[in-house]
Amino acid sequence: MATIFKKIQMFENITKLTSRQFLQFSVRNYRHRRALMYVPGSDERKINKIASLNADCVALDCEDGVALNKKDEARDIIRKKLEHIIPTANGDIGVRVNSIESGLCEKDLEVCLSGTHLPHTVLLPKVENSDHLKWFSDRINKFIKTDQKVNLIIYIESAKAFINLSDICKTAFTLSECNKFTPTSLVFGSDDFCASIGATRTEDSTEILYARQKLVLCAKAFHLQAIDMVYIKYKDLEGLKRQCEEGMRMGYTGKQVIHPNQIETVQESFLPALATVEWAKGLLDAFEEHQATGKGAFNYRGSMIDMPTMKQAKNIIDIVKPVKKKST
Amino acid sequence: MATIFKKIQMFENITKLTSRQFLQFSVRNYRHRRALMYVPGSDERKINKIASLNADCVALDCEDGVALNKKDEARDIIRKKLEHIIPTANGDIGVRVNSIESGLCEKDLEVCLSGTHLPHTVLLPKVENSDHLKWFSDRINKFIKTDQKVNLIIYIESAKAFINLSDICKTAFTLSECNKFTPTSLVFGSDDFCASIGATRTEDSTEILYARQKLVLCAKAFHLQAIDMVYIKYKDLEGLKRQCEEGMRMGYTGKQVIHPNQIETVQESFLPALATVEWAKGLLDAFEEHQATGKGAFNYRGSMIDMPTMKQAKNIIDIVKPVKKKST
Amino acid sequence: MATIFKKIQMFENITKLTSRQFLQFSVRNYRHRRALMYVPGSDERKINKIASLNADCVALDCEDGVALNKKDEARDIIRKKLEHIIPTANGDIGVRVNSIESGLCEKDLEVCLSGTHLPHTVLLPKVENSDHLKWFSDRINKFIKTDQKVNLIIYIESAKAFINLSDICKTAFTLSECNKFTPTSLVFGSDDFCASIGATRTEDSTEILYARQKLVLCAKAFHLQAIDMVYIKYKDLEGLKRQCEEGMRMGYTGKQVIHPNQIETVQESFLPALATVEWAKGLLDAFEEHQATGKGAFNYRGSMIDMPTMKQAKNIIDIVKPVKKKST
């Protein structure tokens, strides 16, 4: 907690930066979801605790977290609960439906989008090709009776999906222009992916590095947030922290969470370290001064700095800015 | 040997699993080749020892294992030997022809497919684009005089081939529908690949990780087996074992072998460890019980388990099943 | 220096290899740039020292190394200085223009290509799609008034560029056929890339391994040289050397340099080690002898060697050959 407190204090100072011209870039259009927490749609007791979780994003789950014989019950509970949760929600509230291929998705959408309050976001698992998105686009238009749009989070979790990744992203954007959804994030569904290619996960995940980095790159090329894999050993918070930092270094800005005690670690990890924030702030200061003198490349703390490094520093400040907003 | 024996005993128990509904998925249409052993087509003495090698797959080689001035001799020996080997073969018997660009491939196919017994499989090196497969498809139809089909193993071993990998796989499947071959595997030809991009191999192969993992992913997207690179230090069985396990974690299910003393290590390595098999079996049991109670996610040995992890466990059981069949 | 001297002696012996038939392959059409050194176009004092730098390639910079209020001055200095530098240059002299999206590129090209002596090379940053190359192709034809062509070095430094990488390379070659440029290299702009995907660089760069290796693979598929990322800690020559060797193992044959004291380390590192050259030479000798006896695969220093390994050895000799030419 002390660390978080120090970070929050730091953000107080950072707000001074906002007046600068080079921080006036338009904010990316995605919500910042550091933790994406699953809560089984069939479990009312757990759903009632959502407000106390303080997670950036909660997904009411119809899919893997709900047994086959509880699917109907889960849909009804979700519809009922959304009426109470949405009007008072702090973070993003989504519904993870079943995959299109499962044959359960249409009913999930029909029921969960039929209440007075739509979820902010629909999470669509096992998207494998652009036809899946066309199917989704049709249904979402049919079941949303108003002019509202929902956010769409796309799960990439099979070999096939990775082959079609660029095409999936392109289609999502094209379709979103005149349909009732806005694509905001890609999720790396690492466990289904491993099953799909027959890989076995180790602690450092080297065996799936190609897929994990391809996902970030493709997400960023289409201005989507990249949300990293689940860390299933939910009692090992040190291991969780290590994997958060690893993902963050690759460009992930959020992570799936399967147990409430993972939330704080994840949300704290996906803030840049104080030292990093301080480095970025110092660099941006130095750059501004230096730029005025008319020399391009310059030396900051022993490294030669130019425009790209400056942009990295700005990225760091971008991450801490919305958190600052929340804390006021 | 003791380890293998224990594993075989284990498979006895695993056969009990076959009655379960969730193991009734259709078996993938590829033969399981743990070791793919090369034998020079020009070397009758080595060919006569094939039966004693006990390798899952043997490739009678017309390509790199045969000097330029021995190509004709190799073809004739292969045609002659296939008559005796095929009728009594335990494993898969293939012929590795020369690459299409070499100008030698047509003669290889003509001679090696002209006997009474076709090889089970043709191994086609240095496939770089879909035109290569169209060429191959034409020739295979011309030289196979019956309605039989051969399996096709495709070698991916240049920068160009990796650029075209998806297209190569798609074309292979499209062409196979009405022609006399069935694509079954992709081979990572790492040494030719390194030569193609000017890379230098180290023991842990980090420098070619991108290509090695891209190949697995693409293979699995098209339901092909992925066969890993050669380990050239054939006296270092520890190093070989380490590299087998590394490839297996990535999703490879077989490996090229250049010396008979590598076969046992490779075939043993590409069986899952006893502990892993036991873990998978226990998980599937626990899952089945748990599923009946109506809760989705559950806790098994301290990890939160859901559908993807369950599928990984099933993958492990899939690998050991065909071996069980052989041992009865 | 002693090491370099020993290497040079070694090359004396290597020239004996050139008579061999298997070394008669056509030389790839790229200049070998081990070090690509940036010199700010606005800094006459630094430009005057270029001859003494002894770098394989120098880029007179209009882009990140020059502050916004110095762009005009930089262009004028570059045009003026090219008149003196080009006629007596040992290495490759290029001009790095500003990116197309910056709105500054057209003026850069107009001024820097208007003198009597063209630069050998134009370095084009932040190429993101094939339209950028069409734009470039139009302008280069307009501003070069003679029949001369310049080399083109393409910078890949954003998520978008990596998505379009194959298409960018293809378009570069198609356009070059009837326009006044020849694509020769891809540069991995790692710092802008990290900023683009929000990645944070560590010493071993694992977090950008996907992009770094995808670039090499794509470059080589199109017969382009791959030039590796900047090492910004310019005082740490050990770290620089380590990163050079890492890139070289992946297939990079050159590296960007931001400080003159990095040049010698880079150019020395991108020579193969004496032991490697000796290994390659020995292998090629052994192979030639062995080939004559009619056996294909053979054993060299405990490893089974075949054609691909032989080609790797030839690659090593290819790298040292042009250096040999320079030293005579």
Side-chain angles (χ1 to χ4, degrees):
Chain A
M1 275 316 265
T3 319
I4 286 189
F5 184 69
K6 270 199 252 161
K7 281 186 181 172
I8 298 296
Q9 284 198 304
M10 194 61 212
F11 309 153
E12 298 295 329
N13 301 325
I14 288 159
T15 52
K16 295 178 198 159
L17 298 177
T18 53
S19 61
R20 292 184 182 172
Q21 196 203 346
F22 55 82
L23 284 173
Q24 303 303 325
F25 292 66
S26 67
V27 174
R28 283 155 300 188
N29 74 338
Y30 56 78
R31 279 175 186 249
H32 191 72
R33 299 171 182 92
R34 290 168 300 167
L36 162 51
M37 167 77 195
Y38 298 107
V39 175
S42 54
D43 192 331
E44 275 201 74
R45 194 183 54 83
K46 284 186 181 163
I47 294 176
N48 290 335
K49 290 186 180 165
I50 286 175
S52 68
L53 290 177
N54 206 24
D56 288 352
C57 178
V58 172
L60 301 172
D61 195 9
C62 297
E63 200 213 10
D64 289 345
V66 176
L68 262 176
N69 61 1
K70 297 279 185 181
K71 298 289 187 190
D72 278 330
E73 193 181 329
R75 289 170 189 137
D76 290 334
I77 293 174
I78 289 172
R79 179 177 48 181
K80 188 182 68 179
K81 288 292 177 187
L82 284 173
E83 304 301 306
H84 304 286
I85 297 170
I86 294 294
T88 61
N90 283 318
D92 186 75
I93 305 292
V95 174
R96 180 164 76 166
V97 293
N98 287 281
S99 73
I100 293 168
E101 301 290 347
S102 72
L104 301 165
C105 186
E106 182 146 15
K107 192 76 186 166
D108 292 339
L109 289 169
E110 184 179 0
V111 175
C112 297
L113 300 175
S114 66
T116 318
H117 291 94
L118 291 178
H120 301 123
T121 301
V122 172
L123 301 94
L124 188 61
K126 296 182 185 54
V127 176
E128 299 217 320
N129 53 53
S130 54
D131 285 346
H132 282 165
L133 291 172
K134 287 170 199 153
W135 186 98
F136 175 80
S137 189
D138 282 351
R139 298 314 180 283
I140 206 84
N141 284 352
K142 178 178 161 195
F143 294 127
I144 299 183
K145 308 293 186 189
T146 65
D147 287 343
Q148 283 184 280
K149 280 188 170 210
V150 288
N151 298 313
L152 173 63
I153 295 183
I154 297 170
Y155 282 67
I156 300 300
E157 39 192 346
S158 70
K160 206 79 185 175
F162 274 97
I163 297 287
N164 296 326
L165 190 47
S166 243
D167 191 40
I168 288 170
C169 294
K170 255 180 241 165
T171 305
F173 275 98
T174 309
L175 289 173
S176 71
E177 280 167 25
C178 42
N179 293 291
K180 296 178 179 173
F181 71 94
T182 306
T184 63
S185 313
L186 295 186
V187 169
F188 181 28
S190 64
D191 291 309
D192 264 307
F193 174 69
C194 283
S196 138
I197 69 162
T200 314
R201 285 271 298 282
T202 57
E203 188 64 19
D204 69 3
S205 307
T206 307
E207 58 284 341
I208 51 171
L209 189 145
Y210 172 93
R212 196 176 177 198
Q213 294 192 358
K214 179 172 182 169
L215 188 136
V216 177
L217 192 149
C218 212
K220 299 306 173 85
F222 291 92
H223 303 289
L224 297 167
Q225 183 190 12
I227 298 177
D228 204 4
M229 56 192 180
V230 164
Y231 189 73
I232 62 168
K233 290 191 266 171
Y234 65 92
K235 289 180 179 168
D236 176 6
L237 295 182
E238 272 313 301
L240 173 64
K241 185 159 180 272
R242 208 163 44 237
Q243 202 181 70
C244 286
E245 289 164 357
E246 196 179 76
M248 200 179 177
R249 282 196 297 273
M250 295 178 188
Y252 283 95
T253 56
K255 191 173 184 66
Q256 300 167 80
V257 160
I258 47 162
H259 194 284
N261 78 4
Q262 294 183 316
I263 295 172
E264 186 177 348
T265 303
V266 167
Q267 299 196 158
E268 193 171 329
S269 295
F270 278 93
L271 288 175
L274 245 193
T276 310
V277 173
E278 190 270 333
W279 170 87
K281 191 176 166 309
L283 175 53
L284 294 177
D285 283 333
F287 179 80
E288 198 175 22
E289 283 171 35
H290 190 85
Q291 192 72 353
T293 70
K295 287 181 183 170
F298 75 104
N299 183 340
Y300 175 65
R301 301 186 185 179
S303 290
M304 198 64 98
I305 305 294
D306 56 8
M307 198 58 75
T309 312
M310 205 283 293
K311 284 185 201 155
Q312 283 184 306
K314 201 195 143 294
N315 265 343
I316 289 158
I317 304 302
D318 278 351
I319 290 170
V320 296
K321 269 198 303 181
V323 179
K324 174 66 194 94
K325 275 189 208 138
K326 268 189 189 167
S327 73
T328 50
Chain B
M1 275 316 264
T3 318
I4 287 191
F5 184 67
K6 271 200 248 160
K7 282 186 180 171
I8 299 295
Q9 283 199 305
M10 194 62 212
F11 308 153
E12 299 293 331
N13 301 327
I14 289 160
T15 51
K16 295 177 197 160
L17 298 177
T18 53
S19 61
R20 292 184 183 172
Q21 195 202 348
F22 55 82
L23 284 173
Q24 302 303 325
F25 294 65
S26 68
V27 174
R28 283 156 299 188
N29 74 339
Y30 55 76
R31 279 175 186 250
H32 190 71
R33 300 172 182 93
R34 292 168 298 168
L36 161 52
M37 167 78 195
Y38 297 106
V39 175
S42 54
D43 191 331
E44 275 201 76
R45 194 183 54 84
K46 285 187 182 164
I47 295 176
N48 290 336
K49 288 186 182 166
I50 286 176
S52 68
L53 290 177
N54 206 24
D56 288 352
C57 178
V58 171
L60 301 172
D61 195 9
C62 297
E63 200 212 10
D64 290 344
V66 176
L68 262 176
N69 61 359
K70 298 279 186 180
K71 298 290 187 190
D72 278 331
E73 193 179 330
R75 290 170 189 135
D76 290 335
I77 292 174
I78 289 171
R79 179 176 50 181
K80 187 182 70 180
K81 287 292 177 185
L82 283 173
E83 304 301 307
H84 304 285
I85 296 170
I86 295 294
T88 61
N90 283 319
D92 186 76
I93 304 293
V95 174
R96 179 163 78 166
V97 292
N98 287 281
S99 73
I100 293 169
E101 300 291 347
S102 72
L104 301 166
C105 185
E106 182 146 15
K107 192 76 186 169
D108 292 339
L109 289 169
E110 184 179 0
V111 175
C112 298
L113 300 175
S114 66
T116 318
H117 291 94
L118 291 178
H120 301 123
T121 301
V122 172
L123 301 94
L124 187 62
K126 297 182 185 53
V127 175
E128 300 218 320
N129 53 53
S130 53
D131 285 346
H132 282 165
L133 290 172
K134 287 171 198 151
W135 186 98
F136 175 79
S137 189
D138 283 350
R139 297 314 179 284
I140 206 85
N141 284 353
K142 179 177 160 194
F143 294 128
I144 298 184
K145 308 294 188 191
T146 65
D147 287 342
Q148 283 184 282
K149 280 187 169 210
V150 288
N151 298 313
L152 172 63
I153 294 182
I154 297 170
Y155 281 69
I156 301 300
E157 40 192 344
S158 71
K160 206 78 184 176
F162 275 97
I163 298 285
N164 297 326
L165 190 47
S166 243
D167 191 41
I168 288 170
C169 294
K170 256 181 239 162
T171 306
F173 275 98
T174 310
L175 289 173
S176 71
E177 280 168 24
C178 43
N179 293 291
K180 296 179 178 173
F181 70 94
T182 307
T184 63
S185 312
L186 295 186
V187 168
F188 181 28
S190 63
D191 291 309
D192 264 306
F193 173 69
C194 283
S196 138
I197 69 163
T200 314
R201 286 273 297 284
T202 57
E203 188 65 19
D204 69 3
S205 307
T206 307
E207 58 285 340
I208 51 171
L209 190 145
Y210 172 95
R212 196 177 177 197
Q213 294 192 359
K214 179 172 182 171
L215 188 136
V216 176
L217 193 149
C218 212
K220 299 305 174 85
F222 291 93
H223 303 289
L224 297 167
Q225 183 190 12
I227 299 176
D228 204 4
M229 56 192 180
V230 164
Y231 189 74
I232 61 168
K233 290 190 267 170
Y234 64 94
K235 288 180 179 168
D236 176 7
L237 295 183
E238 272 313 302
L240 173 65
K241 186 158 180 270
R242 207 161 47 236
Q243 202 181 69
C244 286
E245 288 165 356
E246 196 180 74
M248 200 180 177
R249 283 196 297 273
M250 295 179 187
Y252 282 95
T253 56
K255 191 173 183 66
Q256 300 167 80
V257 160
I258 47 162
H259 194 283
N261 78 3
Q262 294 184 314
I263 296 172
E264 186 176 348
T265 303
V266 168
Q267 300 196 158
E268 193 171 331
S269 295
F270 278 94
L271 288 175
L274 244 194
T276 310
V277 173
E278 190 270 333
W279 170 87
K281 190 175 167 309
L283 174 54
L284 294 177
D285 282 332
F287 179 81
E288 197 174 22
E289 283 171 35
H290 189 85
Q291 191 71 354
T293 71
K295 287 182 183 169
F298 75 103
N299 183 341
Y300 176 66
R301 301 187 185 178
S303 291
M304 197 65 97
I305 304 295
D306 55 8
M307 197 58 76
T309 313
M310 205 282 293
K311 284 185 201 153
Q312 283 184 306
K314 201 195 142 293
N315 265 343
I316 289 158
I317 303 302
D318 278 351
I319 290 170
V320 294
K321 269 198 303 181
V323 178
K324 174 65 194 94
K325 274 190 208 137
K326 269 189 187 166
S327 74
T328 50
Chain C
M1 276 316 264
T3 318
I4 287 189
F5 184 68
K6 271 201 247 157
K7 282 186 180 172
I8 299 295
Q9 284 199 303
M10 193 63 212
F11 308 153
E12 299 294 330
N13 301 326
I14 288 160
T15 50
K16 294 177 196 159
L17 297 177
T18 51
S19 61
R20 291 185 183 171
Q21 195 203 347
F22 54 83
L23 284 173
Q24 302 303 325
F25 293 66
S26 67
V27 174
R28 284 156 300 187
N29 75 338
Y30 55 78
R31 276 174 188 250
H32 191 71
R33 299 171 182 91
R34 290 168 300 167
L36 161 52
M37 168 76 195
Y38 298 106
V39 175
S42 55
D43 191 332
E44 275 201 74
R45 194 183 54 84
K46 285 187 182 163
I47 295 177
N48 290 335
K49 289 186 182 164
I50 286 176
S52 68
L53 290 176
N54 207 22
D56 289 351
C57 178
V58 172
L60 302 172
D61 196 9
C62 298
E63 200 212 11
D64 290 344
V66 176
L68 262 176
N69 61 359
K70 297 280 185 182
K71 299 290 187 190
D72 278 332
E73 193 180 330
R75 290 169 188 135
D76 290 334
I77 293 175
I78 290 172
R79 179 177 48 182
K80 188 181 68 180
K81 288 293 176 185
L82 284 174
E83 305 301 306
H84 304 286
I85 296 169
I86 294 294
T88 61
N90 283 318
D92 186 75
I93 304 292
V95 174
R96 180 164 76 166
V97 293
N98 287 281
S99 74
I100 293 168
E101 300 291 347
S102 73
L104 300 166
C105 186
E106 181 146 14
K107 192 77 186 166
D108 292 339
L109 289 169
E110 185 180 358
V111 175
C112 297
L113 301 176
S114 66
T116 318
H117 291 95
L118 291 178
H120 302 123
T121 301
V122 172
L123 301 94
L124 188 62
K126 297 181 185 53
V127 175
E128 299 217 320
N129 53 54
S130 53
D131 285 346
H132 281 166
L133 290 172
K134 287 171 200 152
W135 186 97
F136 175 80
S137 189
D138 282 351
R139 297 313 179 284
I140 206 84
N141 284 352
K142 179 177 160 194
F143 294 127
I144 299 183
K145 308 293 188 192
T146 64
D147 288 342
Q148 283 184 281
K149 281 187 171 212
V150 288
N151 298 313
L152 173 63
I153 295 183
I154 297 170
Y155 281 69
I156 301 300
E157 39 192 345
S158 71
K160 207 77 185 176
F162 274 98
I163 297 285
N164 296 327
L165 191 47
S166 242
D167 191 40
I168 288 170
C169 293
K170 256 181 242 165
T171 305
F173 275 98
T174 309
L175 289 173
S176 71
E177 279 167 25
C178 42
N179 293 291
K180 295 178 180 173
F181 70 93
T182 306
T184 64
S185 312
L186 296 185
V187 169
F188 181 29
S190 63
D191 291 310
D192 264 307
F193 174 70
C194 283
S196 137
I197 68 162
T200 314
R201 285 272 298 283
T202 57
E203 187 64 21
D204 70 3
S205 307
T206 307
E207 57 285 340
I208 50 170
L209 189 145
Y210 173 93
R212 196 177 178 198
Q213 293 191 359
K214 179 171 182 169
L215 188 135
V216 177
L217 192 148
C218 212
K220 299 305 174 87
F222 291 94
H223 303 289
L224 297 167
Q225 184 190 11
I227 299 177
D228 204 4
M229 56 192 181
V230 164
Y231 189 75
I232 62 167
K233 290 190 268 172
Y234 65 92
K235 288 180 179 167
D236 176 6
L237 295 183
E238 272 312 301
L240 174 63
K241 186 158 180 271
R242 208 162 46 237
Q243 203 182 69
C244 286
E245 288 165 356
E246 197 179 75
M248 200 179 177
R249 282 196 297 273
M250 296 179 186
Y252 282 95
T253 56
K255 190 172 185 67
Q256 299 167 80
V257 160
I258 47 163
H259 193 284
N261 77 4
Q262 295 184 314
I263 296 172
E264 185 176 349
T265 303
V266 167
Q267 299 195 158
E268 191 171 330
S269 295
F270 278 93
L271 288 175
L274 245 193
T276 310
V277 174
E278 190 270 333
W279 170 86
K281 190 176 167 310
L283 175 53
L284 294 176
D285 283 333
F287 178 81
E288 198 174 23
E289 282 171 35
H290 189 84
Q291 192 72 354
T293 70
K295 286 181 185 172
F298 75 105
N299 183 341
Y300 175 65
R301 301 187 186 178
S303 291
M304 197 65 96
I305 305 294
D306 55 9
M307 197 57 76
T309 313
M310 205 282 293
K311 284 185 200 156
Q312 283 184 306
K314 201 195 143 294
N315 265 343
I316 290 158
I317 303 301
D318 277 351
I319 290 170
V320 296
K321 269 198 303 181
V323 179
K324 175 65 193 94
K325 274 188 209 139
K326 270 188 189 168
S327 73
T328 51

